[in-house]
Every structure is written in structure tokens, then in C-alpha cells.
Amino acid sequence: MPGRVPPGAILLSSAALCVSMALAAAEIRVPTLGGVLVNPLQASPATKAVVLVFVSTECPYSNRSAPEIRRIHDVFEPKGVRFWLVYPNPADTTALIRAHLQAFGYPDIALRDARHDLVKLAGPTVTPEAAVFDAKGNLVYLGRIDDRFVELGRERPVAGKHDLEDALASTLAGKRVAASTTQAFGCFISDLR
């Protein structure tokens, strides 16, 4: 049938995409606040998942999400999940990020992604937005922390869905994440190209 792609070709394309993404992830090095270059996806054998939470020092949505991000970190970090706070705004200096970590009670798990290496790899467009990678380095979730932000300027008093938490629970259980992408609302990541 003309115009129809054979199923095997689709599987090959998906496999090629995963290999390509894994190779790209292996090359990434971003600085910690101490200036040490790290690949956040290269984790210890005990690491079961890696979470990149894209945040900004000036974004009110990021800042209002801080208690929930800290809570999820505190629940899942002991279970083998490695968390990183990724600051993609080039204007967020090391001093501003340190002050932000302290003001919002975050642990020192910050990375500066001024060149957008991690943004290009994971694909977030706003802060806050989370990307979850499984132990093999596959991106299994990209989206909102929870559904508290309905749209820009409109917020629920409490979240009804806890998307990041659900994605982590599924990943740790070896299950497919039911909603692998969700719409995140927040402040746009500047200079996306």
C-alpha cells in the first residue's frame, strides 16, 4: 500500500533514536556550582532513575513548586533516584543560584545549563519542568511536577495529579509510565534554538 511505513521501519527508527539519544547523553558535561563538569546521566550502578528538574531563580512557578520538588526528592532519593536542579537561564549566575538554593531549602544539587545541552537532550520548554531517565538512560517522562498550575496565571489550591511522583513510582516498579509527557506551565526557557 503506497504511503504506508512497514512496522519494522518504525521500530528501527525508535531504536535508532534511543541509540542516538544515548550517544548524545554520553557526551554531555555541565558545570556544578563548584565548576566541576559532570554528566548527570552517568550515575552509579545503584541509581535506578535520574531526574532533571528545570528551574529558574526568577520564575514564580518554579518557586511555588519548590516545596513539592523538595518533598519528591526526599521521598525518592533514598530509593535510588538521583536528582538534579537544572538552571538553564544564562542570567542565573552561581551566586544567584546559591542564594536560590538557600532561600527555598534545596540541597546542593544544582547544575548550570547555560549552553542548553540538557535542554536540547530532554526537551523542556518552561520552568518548572521535569525529565525522568530510567537506569538505562532512556527518557521516560517529560512534563509538569503536578497539575496545580492549570494555565498561566491560574492555579488550583492543591494538586489532584502528581505526575512526576507517578512517573517515578512506575519507573522504579519497572513499569511503563502511563503519561510519558504532560503539559507543563511556567516561565519559558529563554534562547531556545
Side-chain angles (χ1 to χ4, degrees):
M1 180 180 277
R4 189 166 180 199
V5 179
I10 293 171
L11 291 175
L12 180 60
S13 296
S14 295
L17 180 62
C18 286
V19 169
S20 173
M21 196 165 129
L23 290 174
E27 300 297 320
I28 290 179
R29 300 280 184 276
V30 292
T32 64
L33 296 185
V36 176
L37 293 177
V38 298
N39 181 336
L41 299 182
Q42 283 183 334
S44 74
T47 302
K48 298 174 182 163
V50 174
V51 178
L52 305 178
V53 182
F54 294 85
V55 295
S56 170
T57 61
E58 295 296 322
C59 178
Y61 297 96
S62 284
N63 294 340
R64 285 200 299 272
S65 295
E68 181 65 2
I69 294 167
R70 280 193 329 267
R71 185 191 69 76
I72 294 169
H73 168 271
D74 292 347
V75 168
F76 286 94
E77 195 252 352
K79 297 177 181 181
V81 177
R82 180 66 166 113
F83 282 81
W84 293 99
L85 294 172
V86 180
Y87 290 81
N89 183 350
D92 283 341
T93 64
T94 299
L96 284 173
I97 294 169
R98 285 189 196 284
H100 188 254
L101 294 174
Q102 184 174 16
F104 290 94
Y106 281 125
D108 188 6
I109 54 173
L111 299 172
R112 291 192 69 219
D113 190 29
R115 295 184 333 179
H116 288 176
D117 293 328
L118 296 173
V119 169
K120 291 171 191 166
L121 177 70
T125 57
V126 298
T127 62
E129 191 162 2
V132 177
F133 294 83
D134 67 13
K136 295 178 184 174
N138 299 313
L139 179 63
V140 296
Y141 175 75
L142 176 65
R144 63 192 181 194
I145 309 304
D146 58 32
D147 70 347
R148 198 173 80 189
F149 302 117
V150 179
E151 59 189 25
L152 293 178
R154 198 166 139 234
E155 180 178 340
R156 290 180 174 92
V158 291
K161 293 183 181 177
H162 300 275
D163 305 281
L164 175 56
E165 187 171 13
D166 293 345
L168 287 170
S170 294
T171 301
L172 293 181
K175 298 178 182 174
R176 186 178 77 67
V177 176
S180 60
T181 59
T182 57
Q183 178 64 53
F185 291 102
C187 304
F188 287 106
I189 297 173
S190 62
D191 299 320
L192 284 179
R193 291 183 184 110

